[in-house]
């Protein structure tokens, strides 16, 4: 028999204990910033300086952070399972934790792209955390973060759906499941799969989920131990 397939669907909570703030918890990013002012195409058109600064700060924090026990444990699952991580996070902590297959639904902060037309498929690694106004592509358009803004399409959504389609086990960790279409991929997982949710807060999920009310750095390694036995 082939390896069982595990889909890990993660959100900001998996990186919280690495020092990267979540969005909707108290003290979260969306309490300090207006989504409309930093994370939409309109914000970019109106105030590219502010948007660039916002994502520079996120990139700086990301580059200064380290994977935590949850990221490492998820990578460890690969010893026995075919594991695919589908994350809403733009940080690269799953990769640095050792996961080999990671789909980023909302883009990657370590990459930039041209803000000009037809830029969608050309990404550049941003080595230094700071993108400056004046950093331009060959055609003269300002570089922007390779992230998905509210109001933009989610290019990886179909890929994510096709992966979760054949899951034997689904592990949801650190997401409030508030943002669509990302959260909607769970509807495409098989009915007979096993479902786990790890989150310290109450997150609304169907009753067939095994809910583990715990932080990622504790709850994930414990579940991983159990699954690897
Ligand atoms: P949210 O901020 O909405 O939710 C974070 C979740 O993490 C909550 O359910 C918390 O209870 C949980 N959490 C907090 N600390 C935790 C810990 N130590 N261990 C485990 N869980 C913890 O973040 P997301 O659901 O990821 O999109 O947000 C989804 C999307 O909204 C983001 O990708 C981003 C944001 O706006 C875009 O910017 C397009």
């Amino acid at each position: 028999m082939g390896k069982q397939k595990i889909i890990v669907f993660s959100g900001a909570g998996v990186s919280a204990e690495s020092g990267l703030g979540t969005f909707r918890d108290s003290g979260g990013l969306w309490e300090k910033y207006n989504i409309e002012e930093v994370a939409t195409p309109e914000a970019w058109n109106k105030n590219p300086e502010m948007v660039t600064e916002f994502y520079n700060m996120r990139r700086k924090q990301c580059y200064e952070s380290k994977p935590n026990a949850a990221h490492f444990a998820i990578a460890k699952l690969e010893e026995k399972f075919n594991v695919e991580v589908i994350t809403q996070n733009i940080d690269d902590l799953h990769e640095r934790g050792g996961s080999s297959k990671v789909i980023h639904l909302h883009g990657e902060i370590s990459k930039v792209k041209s803000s000009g037309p037809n830029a969608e498929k050309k990404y550049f690694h941003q080595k230094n955390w700071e993108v400056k106004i004046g950093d331009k592509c060959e055609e003269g358009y300002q570089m922007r973060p390779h992230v998905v803004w509210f109001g933009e399409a989610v290019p990886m959504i179909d890929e994510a759906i096709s992966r979760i389609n054949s899951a034997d086990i689904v592990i949801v960790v650190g997401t409030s499941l508030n943002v669509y279409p990302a959260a909607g991929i769970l509807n495409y997982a098989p009915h007979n799969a096993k479902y786990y949710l790890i989150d310290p807060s109450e997150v609304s999920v169907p009753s067939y989920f095994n809910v583990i009310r715990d932080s990622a750095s504790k709850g994930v390694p414990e579940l991983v131990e159990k699954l690897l036995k």
Side-chain angles (χ1 to χ4, degrees), residues 107-127:
E108 296 170 74
I109 192 65
S110 62
K111 294 180 183 164
V112 294
K113 63 187 178 191
S114 164
S115 58
N118 311 320
E120 202 48 61
K121 290 195 179 73
K122 268 194 273 166
Y123 314 123
F124 302 90
H125 180 69
Q126 177 69 27
K127 209 165 162 211

Side-chain angles (χ1 to χ4, degrees), residues 23 38 56 85 116 121 127 134 146 149 155 157 192 222-224:
F23 297 95
V38 293
N56 278 346
V85 178
K121 290 195 179 73
K127 209 165 162 211
H146 169 40
W149 287 323
I157 199 77
N192 59 354
E222 278 175 20
L223 175 62
V224 167

Side-chain angles (χ1 to χ4, degrees), residues 6-213:
I6 298 187
I7 291 287
V8 177
F9 181 53
S10 71
V14 79
S15 297
E17 289 158 281
S18 292
L20 303 179
T22 62
F23 297 95
R24 294 172 186 79
D25 289 302
S26 83
L29 274 170
W30 295 153
E31 227 168 58
K32 292 179 214 129
Y33 298 88
N34 267 330
I35 289 182
E36 293 76 23
E37 284 175 12
V38 293
T40 61
E42 292 75 23
W44 174 256
N45 290 332
K46 202 171 125 203
N47 196 343
E49 292 81 8
M50 183 163 165
V51 175
T52 297
E53 165 80 10
F54 175 73
Y55 285 99
N56 278 346
M57 284 305 112
R58 311 275 319 275
R59 191 178 301 104
K60 184 166 190 280
Q61 280 173 6
C62 169
Y63 286 5
E64 287 168 358
S65 71
K66 291 198 177 78
N68 66 52
H71 300 104
F72 289 124
I74 290 164
K76 193 158 185 261
L77 281 172
E78 293 186 18
E79 288 174 6
K80 260 206 180 154
F81 296 93
N82 171 12
V83 185
E84 305 205 7
V85 178
I86 301 173
T87 187
Q88 298 162 88
N89 299 344
I90 58 178
D91 66 59
D92 59 353
L93 295 177
H94 281 299
E95 287 91 340
R96 284 197 267 145
S99 286
S100 58
K101 290 183 212 155
V102 185
I103 290 179
H104 289 269
L105 286 177
H106 293 158
E108 296 170 74
I109 192 65
S110 62
K111 294 180 183 164
V112 294
K113 63 187 178 191
S114 164
S115 58
N118 311 320
E120 202 48 61
K121 290 195 179 73
K122 268 194 273 166
Y123 314 123
F124 302 90
H125 180 69
Q126 177 69 27
K127 209 165 162 211
N128 180 286
W129 61 267
E130 189 175 24
V131 174
K132 295 201 171 74
I133 294 294
D135 290 353
K136 293 185 173 154
C137 71
E138 284 167 358
E139 285 95 44
Y141 295 100
Q142 173 68 34
M143 300 305 278
R144 58 160 277 185
H146 169 40
V147 299
V148 173
W149 287 323
F150 286 89
E152 289 189 315
V154 179
M156 295 305 286
I157 199 77
D158 291 338
E159 182 77 28
I161 289 170
S162 80
R163 302 298 173 96
I164 203 168
N165 249 330
S166 54
D168 297 296
I169 301 172
V170 176
I171 302 172
V172 178
V173 51
T175 172
S176 64
L177 298 176
N178 268 307
V179 173
Y180 285 78
I185 68 164
L186 292 175
N187 298 326
Y188 294 88
H191 287 170
N192 59 354
K194 264 202 141 146
Y195 292 83
Y196 297 93
L197 170 92
I198 299 160
D199 200 294
S201 311
E202 200 170 314
V203 176
S204 164
V205 283
S207 58
Y208 48 79
F209 268 82
N210 298 290
V211 176
I212 302 165
R213 187 72 68 77

